[in-house]
Amino acid sequence: MMITVISVSVLLVAFGIFFLIVRHRYQKRLDLATKRAQQSGHMKSVFIDSISRTLRAPLDAISGFSDMLLEEKDERVKELASNISGHAKELSKFVEQLYEMSKFEGITPSFTFIEVNLTELMASYRREAMNFTKPDVTIRVTTDLSPHCRAILDTNLMHQLMMHLLSNAARHVTQGDIYIKYNCERRGLKVAFSYAGMGQAEVVGSDIYTLLQSEDALKYSDMSNRLGIAICKAIVNMLGGEFFMDESANKTILSFWFPCTMKDIYKDL
């Protein structure tokens, strides 16, 4: 009986050692494959970024010279110049969309969370967005939270999310205010936008991959707007959150929420 117990114990120990060796071996292979995949993804992002920067300059030049030719009196020359300018602008738009997609795909494998002051973060988004809003448009940011409130989030994802939504709003608002309100809700961060204008809420019904699979998707003149909204929804979904957008009476109401650790929410209020 004692020999049987010892034999079983030895077998269990041997099996445990064998399991650890096999696990260690495959973990090393997995780590190596993950590292190679990350390097490959980084190289692809750098490559696409380089292509975007390289193509934009000649495309802008082609478009600019074509616009100059449109001032010629010869109708044939004007027709050809208009055709060239249209194709150059279409290709330039495609390059912009390709760059946006590369940024989105490049951030999907992992998250990098850091602690930030929400008041300062939102103020930085407002300052950046004011550079591309129309002269008669103001961005107003409000909150019920303390100016000392801090949140732990991925600032890369958050920047993409906010800039896409602010860019979309800026394209549709010709005058008046773009309102942004952020708060703590259900142990997470909720940010709500409201503004006059239609922000393409119909895009929210489909995910980004469905949108891109539609025929001639990248030839849509408004694809940058559509792609930006779809990317926002995908980012919020990755974070385990919720994305909402509604349009009525020429007004857009948009909000997103995702789980987020927040500190000093009502400090000194």
Side-chain angles (χ1 to χ4, degrees):
M1 183 66 179
M2 181 63 68
I3 295 176
T4 302
V5 172
I6 293 173
S7 299
V8 171
S9 299
V10 170
L11 286 173
L12 288 173
V13 171
F15 178 78
I17 294 172
F18 175 75
F19 174 77
L20 290 174
I21 292 173
V22 171
R23 180 185 177 187
H24 177 71
R25 180 180 177 184
Y26 280 98
Q27 185 64 48
K28 287 184 67 177
R29 289 186 178 183
L30 178 61
D31 291 343
L32 181 60
T34 301
K35 185 177 180 180
R36 286 176 177 173
Q38 290 174 342
Q39 290 174 339
S40 176
H42 177 65
M43 288 175 63
K44 180 181 66 175
S45 297
V46 170
F47 177 68
I48 293 177
D49 185 29
S50 179
I51 288 178
S52 300
R53 285 186 282 104
T54 303
L55 287 177
R56 281 174 182 170
L59 285 171
D60 288 344
I62 292 170
S63 180
F65 284 121
S66 299
D67 290 343
M68 290 174 61
L69 288 173
L70 289 174
E71 298 176 4
E72 294 288 330
K73 294 181 180 180
D74 189 314
E75 290 299 323
R76 178 59 178 166
V77 172
K78 290 175 67 175
E79 181 182 349
L80 291 173
S82 178
N83 191 22
I84 293 171
S85 179
H87 284 294
K89 288 175 181 177
E90 183 177 306
L91 184 55
S92 181
K93 186 66 68 174
F94 171 76
V95 170
E96 180 185 341
Q97 292 153 11
L98 184 66
Y99 179 61
E100 291 297 336
M101 279 302 300
S102 73
K103 288 197 300 181
F104 167 69
E105 189 174 6
I107 60 175
T108 54
S110 62
F111 303 110
T112 303
F113 294 97
I114 62 173
E115 185 173 293
V116 294
N117 180 287
L118 274 180
T119 300
E120 295 174 358
L121 192 67
M122 291 296 176
S124 70
Y125 297 146
R126 180 186 179 278
R127 286 194 300 270
E128 185 173 347
M130 287 301 295
N131 292 324
F132 52 74
T133 54
K134 297 176 179 63
D136 295 330
V137 175
T138 301
I139 301 174
R140 302 188 184 279
V141 182
T142 61
T143 185
D144 296 329
L145 305 179
S146 164
H148 305 289
C149 180
R150 293 168 293 153
I152 299 176
L153 45 77
D154 187 313
T155 53
N156 185 16
L157 288 172
M158 191 66 179
H159 182 268
Q160 280 212 58
L161 187 56
M162 292 296 294
M163 286 301 106
H164 276 307
L165 295 178
L166 283 167
S167 177
N168 182 68
R171 285 188 178 100
H172 294 89
V173 181
T174 56
Q175 61 180 6
D177 298 319
I178 299 173
Y179 292 98
I180 304 173
K181 185 170 184 177
Y182 65 96
N183 273 306
C184 178
E185 183 177 297
R186 291 179 289 154
R187 296 185 179 180
L189 175 65
K190 181 176 181 179
V191 181
F193 293 72
S194 63
Y195 51 87
M198 309 301 278
Q200 294 184 303
E202 73 278 1
V203 182
V204 179
S206 60
D207 61 55
I208 188 171
Y209 306 104
T210 302
L211 183 65
L212 289 173
Q213 287 170 2
S214 61
E215 187 176 356
D216 295 331
L218 294 178
K219 291 185 178 180
Y220 294 152
S221 61
D222 62 347
M223 187 59 185
S224 291
N225 279 2
R226 298 162 64 89
L227 187 59
I229 295 296
I231 287 176
C232 288
K233 180 184 175 185
I235 289 174
V236 172
N237 287 342
M238 280 194 302
L239 294 170
E242 302 166 359
F243 190 90
F244 170 81
M245 191 173 185
D246 181 58
E247 297 171 343
S248 60
N250 197 38
K251 183 177 181 180
T252 297
I253 297 175
L254 183 154
S255 66
F256 64 85
W257 169 91
F258 57 82
C260 177
T261 300
M262 301 172 68
K263 301 178 180 180
D264 298 332
I265 298 174
Y266 301 112
K267 182 180 179 181
D268 297 337
L269 287 182

